[in-house]
Amino acid sequence: MRVIEAPSLASLTTLGLGGTCAREIVLECEEDLCGLEEILASSRPFALGLGSNILGLDGHHDVVLVRPAFRDGPEIVAESGDMVQVKAGAGLPLPALLHFCRKEGLSGLEGLAGIPGSVGGACAMNAGSFGTTIGSHLVSCTIWSEGAVRTWAKDSLETGYRHFVPKGLENSFFLVLSATLLLQKDDSMAVGERMKSCLALKKERQPVQARSAGCVFKNPAGDLSAGILLDRAGFRGRKLGGVAMSEQHANFLINTGTGTAAEAASLLKMARAAVAEQFGVELQLEVCTVPEGALVL
């Protein structure tokens, strides 16, 4: 276990915004879980992966970041006909899992190409793209909560659009430690080509090289995505100080290099209000904030 005092949210997130937290606890092996419940008993814990879906707010926060850095796997743990189960640690970068799938000729996750987060973070947000969600391929997740480690089968996990929670832990702090996924055997060249195609489309449509946290608002019900609504409301490329809504995709908030979380919050409030006024749609945040729930739009 590594404990880092006053960690910078700006340095721990892809958006690169935010102040500091009380401390960061990095879990490097399962033995580090011993005593974690006691350590977190009087704190405000926040589970952190690779910080690719996080908007850290300015200032100092009485929050303890907990980062499971288990990078074991990926490894094939079971096979049945053309179906294969692959297990990966929560701290493993998602691109590393996709590289393994391409090399081994395992299909199912190609649509996630270009998503920069960790396996644990992808599970916790039920990350998805191009019609693929990681939750739809889950066999089980190993999860820590309230001092105990337990493996939760898929039917005990509640998943939906950018939603994941073990049933019964809706109001509890938990950590994803590892995930086992069901994938299908395929030709490795074909898997690689599909990944390449998805990544090319992302680069064409999204600012994948910019400092961003991915889509900031969830897509509402109906035919129009958040990106289209924001575009029609005039927010494609809209700037405020050192932050902007991307020229490529209006639902991507980017940090141009000098941005602050206060500027980001103001721009998001303006964008949400404009969409509500013009289209009667109340956009909801997809990006997670630290502190949790502290940003009211």
Side-chain angles (χ1 to χ4, degrees):
M1 178 186 294
R2 285 188 291 125
V3 178
I4 301 162
E5 299 296 329
S8 164
L9 287 166
S11 66
L12 290 170
T13 60
T14 56
L15 186 54
L17 298 178
T20 56
C21 290
R23 63 188 58 87
E24 176 189 9
I25 297 175
V26 183
L27 305 171
E28 299 175 304
C29 61
E30 289 208 15
E31 287 74 18
D32 290 345
L33 296 167
C34 297
L36 183 61
E37 182 181 25
E38 185 178 350
I39 293 172
L40 300 180
S42 58
S43 66
R44 296 172 62 190
F46 184 93
L48 182 71
L50 294 179
S52 61
N53 191 44
I54 303 293
L55 169 56
L57 303 185
D58 296 327
H60 181 72
H61 312 295
D62 185 24
V63 172
V64 175
L65 305 174
V66 187
R67 184 155 57 91
F70 312 130
R71 295 197 174 199
D72 47 303
E75 62 174 329
I76 294 173
V77 293
E79 296 186 48
S80 178
D82 287 340
M83 304 310 294
V84 175
Q85 293 185 25
V86 173
K87 186 176 181 180
L92 187 77
L94 200 55
L97 173 60
L98 294 184
H99 174 75
F100 176 83
C101 291
R102 180 191 59 76
K103 181 170 66 74
E104 297 294 329
L106 301 176
S107 179
L109 303 180
E110 291 92 327
L112 304 184
I115 296 178
S118 65
V119 169
C123 290
M125 285 300 298
N126 192 17
S129 184
F130 295 117
T132 298
T133 64
I134 197 164
S136 64
H137 292 277
L138 282 173
V139 174
S140 63
C141 277
T142 300
I143 289 168
W144 177 93
S145 181
E146 299 175 342
V149 175
R150 173 183 164 190
T151 298
W152 299 69
K154 183 174 182 175
D155 59 4
S156 297
L157 300 169
E158 182 181 296
T159 60
Y161 175 54
R162 303 300 175 265
H163 174 77
F164 170 96
V165 66
K167 294 177 181 178
L169 296 184
E170 290 83 356
N171 299 310
S172 301
F173 176 74
F174 65 87
L175 296 168
V176 176
L177 305 181
S178 67
T180 300
L181 302 158
L182 184 65
L183 304 172
Q184 187 167 12
K185 292 180 183 178
D186 199 345
D187 177 71
S188 62
M189 290 287 288
V191 172
E193 286 301 314
R194 287 194 292 270
M195 288 182 182
K196 189 183 297 183
S197 176
C198 289
L199 184 56
L201 282 174
K202 272 197 174 69
K203 288 181 176 179
E204 179 183 324
R205 301 173 183 177
Q206 301 174 4
V208 295
Q209 301 299 323
R211 299 211 71 170
S212 86
C215 290
V216 285
F217 291 109
K218 295 179 181 179
N219 288 325
D223 297 330
L224 299 180
S225 68
I228 291 175
L229 292 170
L230 290 162
D231 193 357
R232 293 183 180 179
F235 277 82
R236 179 187 291 266
R238 178 75 67 90
K239 297 179 180 178
L240 181 63
V243 299
M245 305 305 279
S246 171
E247 289 277 4
Q248 279 185 277
H249 194 307
N251 196 24
F252 275 66
L253 174 73
I254 63 173
N255 177 3
T256 63
T258 60
T260 67
E263 292 169 342
S266 295
L267 184 58
L268 294 182
K269 287 179 183 179
M270 291 165 52
R272 187 173 186 270
V275 168
E277 181 180 352
Q278 295 181 40
F279 306 105
V281 176
E282 298 284 347
L283 294 177
Q284 303 299 317
L285 281 177
E286 177 174 327
V287 69
C288 299
T289 63
V290 181
E292 200 168 5
L295 181 60
V296 179
L297 299 181

